[in-house]
């Protein structure tokens, strides 16, 4: 196993409800995502795609089983460590209406800015590169509220 593979073992995903009840969406999920490879997750509405993604990036706890990055269980990472290794774009719309595209992208550099949150020139280069990579370079001064759903997801 590579030090950057994301692996699930006997993963059960779902939701913990009130009064100790559990809604299980999927069980026995075993997968290995390799760095640098594109992976497609397909399924019907309600099949658990978003629940799996939320569980694999620690937004919600697994019902059972484990998720690891490299040889470490995801729960052993601090929030700061995990934020430097895992990024996800889910389907929920975020407002960000008062922020420009560049300001939203720059939030991804927060982990590297230190106590005062000041962006260095190297951060600005990373932001420029990210905007260019998704075809949004010319939109950096546009407000998020003025973008289409597809543009917002980029």
């Amino acid at each position: 196993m590579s030090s950057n593979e994301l692996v699930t073992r006997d993963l059960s995903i779902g939701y913990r409800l009130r009064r100790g009840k559990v809604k299980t969406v999927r069980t026995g999920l075993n997968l290995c995502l390799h760095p640098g490879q594109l992976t497609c997750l397909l399924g019907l509405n309600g099949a658990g795609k978003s629940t799996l993604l939320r569980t694999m990036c620690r937004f919600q706890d697994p019902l059972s089983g484990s998720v690891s990055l490299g040889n470490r269980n995801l729960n052993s990472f601090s929030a700061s460590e995990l934020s430097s290794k895992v990024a996800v774009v889910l389907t929920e719309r975020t407002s960000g209406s008062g922020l420009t595209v560049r300001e939203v992208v720059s939030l991804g550099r927060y982990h590297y800015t230190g106590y005062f949150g000041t962006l260095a020139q190297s951060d600005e280069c990373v932001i420029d590169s990210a905007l260019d990579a998704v075809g949004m370079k010319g939109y950096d001064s546009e407000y998020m509220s003025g973008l289409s759903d597809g543009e917002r997801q980029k």
Side-chain angles (χ1 to χ4, degrees):
M1 172 171 26
S2 149
S3 64
N4 292 318
E5 290 177 339
L6 186 69
V7 176
T8 68
R9 289 190 181 89
D10 295 322
L11 185 66
S12 291
I13 58 172
Y15 305 93
R16 298 187 191 285
L17 306 171
R18 294 183 184 153
R19 298 185 184 124
K21 293 185 180 184
V22 173
K23 176 177 173 46
T24 302
V25 177
R26 289 283 174 256
T27 61
L29 298 171
N30 295 291
L31 59 93
C32 181
L33 302 179
H34 303 278
Q37 290 186 349
L38 179 64
T39 302
C40 180
L41 181 60
L42 294 174
L44 298 172
N45 289 347
K49 300 177 299 291
S50 294
T51 303
L52 175 61
L53 290 174
R54 282 193 297 272
T55 304
M56 289 188 339
C57 64
R58 210 173 76 185
F59 289 172
Q60 69 184 65
D61 293 329
L63 298 178
S64 65
S66 67
V67 179
S68 59
L69 182 60
N71 296 318
R72 288 179 61 188
N73 187 294
L74 227 54
N75 290 328
S76 73
F77 287 89
S78 70
S80 178
E81 279 181 297
L82 193 59
S83 72
S84 71
K85 298 186 180 302
V86 177
V88 65
V89 177
L90 295 171
T91 56
E92 290 87 10
R93 282 184 70 156
T94 57
S95 173
S97 59
L99 297 174
T100 66
V101 170
R102 184 171 199 81
E103 289 168 336
V104 170
V105 174
S106 73
L107 293 174
R109 299 302 298 166
Y110 173 76
H111 174 77
Y112 303 98
T113 60
Y115 183 77
F116 294 106
T118 305
L119 294 170
Q121 184 60 40
S122 60
D123 295 309
E124 298 289 351
C125 289
V126 170
I127 293 165
D128 287 339
S129 177
L131 288 167
D132 192 42
V134 297
M136 294 296 289
K137 184 72 172 153
Y139 294 83
D140 56 344
S141 62
E142 298 290 326
Y143 283 98
M144 293 294 291
S145 59
L147 301 179
S148 71
D149 286 343
E151 290 167 337
R152 193 175 294 114
Q153 284 186 327
K154 286 181 184 182

